[in-house]
Amino acid sequence: MTSSIFDEDALIELQQADTDPLASPLQLQTEGQIAIRQLHRYHDWSGLPLLCWNCDTETILTRTPDMPLAVLDPGVLQRAVAETGPWTDELVPGLVHYGLPLPMADGCRLVALGHVPSDPRSIPTAARTAAVQLGWDEDRLQEWFVHQPCASREIVARLVDLTWQQRQHHERFEAAEMEIAELADRIERMFEEISLLHALARNLHLSCAPVDLAELALERISALIHCGGVAAYLQDRSGETRLLTRGCLPFDEEGFVRFVEQFSGHNWQRPLVRNNVADTLLGRDFAGLDNFVLAEIAEGSHRTGWLLICNLQNGREFGTIEASLLNSVATILGVHARNIDLYQEHEELLVSFVRSMVSTLDAKDPYTRGHSQRVAAVARRIAVELGLPPEDVNNVWLSGLLHDIGKIGVDDRVLRKPGRLTPQEFEHVKKHPEIGYQILKGLTNLRATLPGVRHHHERFDGSGYPDGLAGEEIPFLARILAVADAFDAMCSDRPYRRGMAIEQVEAIFRQDRGAYWDPRVIRAYFQARKDIHALWQNLVANASDSALDDAVDVEGSTLCYAKPESPTEAT
Ligand SMILES: [Fe+2]
């Protein structure tokens, strides 16, 4: 052991390696750097010269620039080893020694040591001896002494204590800073998760297909969780499956199904989380799979698919955060898919119900078989031409199917009468819009069809029935149906006459628009006339006399026009 050591190389290393001693602790790389940074903090806070003493190797690791001369008496070093906190002592005459613990580095105990002269009037003997050992001349020794911060033991002790308190404050500050940083990360992550769930919730409408919602979910998950791959496996009501992916997955769709089958015994109330599977049997079966979270896309017991994230990056493992997020997303996808299924089932039930009613009408009135389907198709095409939104177009179509449903309440003898109707019979038939309205008004899901059912025989000039509405008073839906109804009635054959030629029908349309029909609807008809002729001809050509199940037939409506030459008497 030497009584004084001066290590110029260590000083140079310190200055080169540690140019920013008060930089953020988050930037530190090694234990040695942490200790050196702490030494500089002690120096800045106290203003006292310091060196870094390695108690295990008994060497100076580095020192501050104002500590070129070290007087490390054996008693000082013993004190440095013995103390676990800050200390101050005048162990060498004329010098006040002090020590402050430093963080350990590479398993070695480090201490910040230093000394200052206690008497500004004379150079301590021990310092003079150490200077001689370093080869200093008197001038250099004097220069060192002039620049030394001379202080009494009490003042130095106070400085050291304050420095130690400052360290404790700084450590608490650093801990708080790290806690704030972690909280900020968590808040940012929570915000991103909420944003993801909000984006999905915004698209929970029935017009968004489950595949589109799943694509959106994969996009947002892959942006939020830095993992190797994300996948959604979807199965629709018909059993058709689809595997949507982002990133790289260790299996194709067939492999995915085999993968999921491995966990048939899992309770899917919670997602399945597996880490470190690369060396397991599972990892051998699916090469490239390191870890994953697998969640069931389901609503209750109604499963519609699976959601998977795998191979978290940077060697991290999946935990409750990822599992919770995936579970939430899978639940949203499951509920949405179930709602879509229920809506489709409901729609199918509604259409089946409507078709049953139309079939009933067609069975009752053989002369009008297929009329409702043709009116519905023509009206729908006109509605499209008018630029109505899809939901309204669908309601126009349903209204076309049901517009004459009130004929169920008309006497069969009148309905099936092959010839022209008497005025009394015609008055009886004219009740069918009101009867249809009464039949359907209690059915909430068909409420949108009521204006068409009740008012499809109103005339634009107010001479129609049942309410004698005119112009804009007539619901627009009914004005569309009126044109489609007249078109099919005039074009269709009847037992006592052939259907009119389309040119003749269109001549009547031109002549009586504004009187019988809304000119805007007539204009839309002419704009789409080629399409309408084609679809009408197609419906007539493909109809079958026995096709009552789907209620399509070739027969025209006897009752729609009591007098072929007078289309305004359509029923
Ligand atoms: Fe009618």
Side-chain angles (χ1 to χ4, degrees), residues 403-404 407 432 456-457 485 571:
H403 76 287
D404 273 345
K407 288 180 182 172
H432 77 273
H456 68 277
H457 285 295
D485 190 20
T571 62

Side-chain angles (χ1 to χ4, degrees), residues 374 377-382 385 483-484 487 502 506 521 524-538:
R374 294 191 297 273
V378 171
R380 178 166 56 186
R381 181 61 187 87
I382 293 173
E385 193 64 28
V483 173
F487 176 82
I502 282 179
E506 292 183 343
V521 181
Y525 162 83
F526 279 106
Q527 288 168 351
R529 60 189 295 273
K530 286 186 178 177
D531 280 358
I532 291 172
H533 297 171
L535 68 88
W536 188 86
Q537 293 286 358
N538 187 52

Side-chain angles (χ1 to χ4, degrees), residues 288-443:
L289 183 65
D290 294 328
N291 48 31
F292 66 89
V293 181
L294 179 65
E296 181 189 51
I297 298 175
E299 196 280 318
S301 61
H302 187 82
R303 179 190 297 154
T304 52
W306 302 94
L307 193 60
L308 173 91
I309 51 177
C310 67
N311 296 341
L312 200 57
Q313 293 179 350
N314 302 322
R316 292 166 52 227
E317 295 185 352
F318 286 120
T320 54
I321 293 175
E322 292 82 7
S324 174
L325 175 66
L326 213 65
N327 199 34
S328 298
V329 174
T331 299
I332 289 176
L333 295 180
V335 169
H336 179 254
R338 182 61 176 152
N339 286 343
I340 294 281
D341 284 353
L342 289 173
Y343 179 76
Q344 288 177 345
E345 287 173 11
H346 176 267
E347 285 291 291
E348 289 167 7
L349 185 65
L350 183 65
V351 171
S352 297
F353 171 72
V354 170
R355 287 189 181 281
S356 292
M357 294 186 78
V358 174
S359 295
T360 302
L361 176 61
D362 283 359
K364 179 180 175 73
D365 178 9
Y367 297 130
T368 62
R369 281 182 197 166
H371 170 68
S372 299
Q373 282 73 23
R374 294 191 297 273
V375 170
V378 171
R380 178 166 56 186
R381 181 61 187 87
I382 293 173
V384 169
E385 193 64 28
L386 286 164
L388 295 180
E391 187 178 354
D392 285 349
V393 170
N394 192 50
N395 284 331
V396 168
W397 177 70
L398 277 177
S399 302
L401 288 175
L402 293 168
H403 76 287
D404 273 345
I405 204 66
K407 288 180 182 172
I408 288 175
V410 174
D411 192 318
D412 285 359
R413 289 167 298 179
V414 177
L415 280 182
R416 293 176 178 175
K417 183 177 179 180
R420 295 181 183 178
L421 304 179
T422 66
Q424 293 78 12
E425 290 169 338
F426 189 65
E427 286 302 315
H428 177 56
V429 170
K430 283 170 67 177
K431 293 178 181 175
H432 77 273
E434 172 65 23
I435 296 171
Y437 179 83
Q438 294 299 332
I439 290 173
L440 299 177
K441 74 174 184 180
L443 301 174

